[in-house]
Amino acid sequence: MNWTVLVAYCIIDDLLKTLGHRDDPQSKTPASVVLTLWVLAALAFGGKHKHALDYAREQALFSFIPSRSRFSRRLHHLAHWIPLLLPLGKALWERLSSVQHYILDTLPLPVCENIRAPRCRLAPARQYRGYIPSKRSYFHGLKLHLVCTDNRWISEVVLTPGSTADVEGLYLLALDLPRGCELYVDRGYTDYQAEDDLAMAEGIRLRPVRKSNSKRYQQASQWIAVQGRRIIESVGSALSELFPKRIHATTLKGFVLKVWGFIFAHNFRRLAAIL
């Protein structure tokens, strides 16, 4: 685990310098240390920042470890830098490992139990009420739309309210993918217009798992699409292993920050395995 933390610190520090971030001269804890402790919490302690800070003090990972309240304030102050690190990490991964194709899928993120939905404080609106067709059940929270590579690197992420349709997530994603690549999706992303536009404008070939009554259904291509999408199940399982039984947060912004932490913890674990 300490090797993964070291890899995370070195890469985060370099990426922040690339983005032009500068720490305040009076700050005792650099931004790279704050974000590394945030990744450590997601990697080994279910997102619990207090346990990560205590572990860092015991192991003397850094020269100065901030208090829990100070750490929380610094982390929220750095929140707008976090999404900018993901594209840079993707460029680094593509240099270290060859990518054949990409997969797009969604993952439900409940913020509370269904019975508590009417009095939920983190996400009180009805737009956070979503449905999971594969489980035939409802949930109350956010929906994670993620694009990953065939070697299990998460390259793009969008968080939306739970009621957002899967195909809407396709419109919200930047889809900064190499021209001529293939993007595997499931039945929820069926949109012929978007499929044609992506092929014409970006050169991205959409490979959806189509319904049997679809106008573009082809049995041979369905087998390829089903086989290509299997890797997303292992990515979802790897993320679920990092998630605690319930992600604890007092605000929706804090909940989102912890979800981002699990995403980066997964990616840095993949990087540490090949470095």
Side-chain angles (χ1 to χ4, degrees):
M1 183 180 66
N2 285 353
W3 169 244
T4 306
V5 173
L6 177 61
V7 169
Y9 170 72
C10 294
I11 293 176
I12 289 173
D13 190 60
D14 289 341
L15 295 184
L16 286 176
K17 290 177 181 177
T18 303
L19 291 171
H21 177 270
R22 292 185 180 181
D23 290 308
D24 190 287
Q26 297 179 340
S27 176
K28 294 182 179 180
T29 310
S32 54
V33 173
V34 173
L35 294 180
T36 303
L37 293 171
W38 164 69
V39 171
L40 172 62
L43 184 67
F45 301 102
K48 296 178 177 63
H49 298 156
K50 180 180 181 299
H51 295 343
L53 295 173
D54 291 342
Y55 176 82
R57 286 193 193 94
E58 291 175 3
Q59 298 293 320
L61 296 181
F62 302 102
S63 59
F64 182 81
I65 306 298
S67 64
R68 182 182 177 183
S69 60
R70 181 59 181 164
F71 171 80
S72 181
R73 291 194 298 271
R74 288 290 308 279
L75 181 59
H76 279 74
H77 182 70
L78 294 168
H80 66 283
W81 290 95
I82 291 173
L84 303 178
L85 298 175
L86 198 59
L88 296 178
K90 174 195 165 199
L92 174 62
W93 177 260
E94 289 177 348
R95 288 190 177 186
L96 295 174
S97 178
S98 61
V99 177
Q100 301 293 330
H101 59 264
Y102 297 82
I103 309 101
L104 169 61
D105 205 356
T106 59
L107 187 68
L109 299 171
V111 299
C112 67
E113 300 294 337
N114 285 336
I115 197 171
R116 298 180 181 271
R119 57 181 185 275
C120 178
R121 294 183 180 181
L122 288 186
R126 288 186 62 86
Q127 64 177 339
Y128 294 99
R129 191 71 171 165
Y131 181 69
I132 311 172
S134 60
K135 297 182 179 180
R136 297 182 181 179
S137 63
Y138 289 89
F139 72 98
H140 189 82
L142 301 176
K143 187 178 283 187
L144 176 65
H145 306 260
L146 56 89
V147 177
C148 73
T149 64
D150 55 350
N151 42 24
R152 298 194 288 275
W153 175 271
I154 298 175
S155 60
E156 290 188 28
V157 167
V158 166
L159 284 160
T160 62
S163 62
T164 305
D166 289 354
V167 71
E168 293 182 33
L170 178 64
Y171 306 143
L172 295 173
L173 286 162
L175 292 181
D176 183 19
L177 307 179
R179 191 172 186 85
C181 72
E182 294 183 338
L183 180 63
Y184 291 77
V185 296
D186 64 6
R187 295 178 180 87
Y189 295 93
T190 300
D191 188 328
Y192 297 150
Q193 186 63 47
E195 188 175 340
D196 295 338
D197 290 344
L198 280 173
M200 184 178 297
E202 304 293 337
I204 298 173
R205 183 180 181 183
L206 216 62
R207 277 193 176 271
V209 178
R210 303 188 191 277
K211 298 178 181 178
S212 58
N213 60 352
S214 172
K215 294 180 181 179
R216 301 185 181 182
Y217 179 84
Q218 294 179 355
Q219 188 173 0
S221 64
Q222 288 306 288
W223 185 85
I224 297 174
V226 170
Q227 295 298 317
R229 282 197 72 259
R230 282 188 174 180
I231 197 68
I232 197 69
E233 305 299 334
S234 61
V235 173
S237 299
L239 281 177
S240 298
E241 286 179 5
L242 295 173
F243 291 163
K245 186 176 181 181
R246 183 177 302 165
I247 301 176
H248 175 73
T250 56
T251 63
L252 189 59
K253 183 179 179 180
F255 183 90
V256 171
L257 273 175
K258 288 195 174 184
V259 172
W260 274 104
F262 293 122
I263 292 167
F264 275 93
H266 168 80
N267 280 351
F268 284 124
R269 192 161 62 176
R270 295 292 302 155
L271 268 175
I274 66 171
L275 290 178

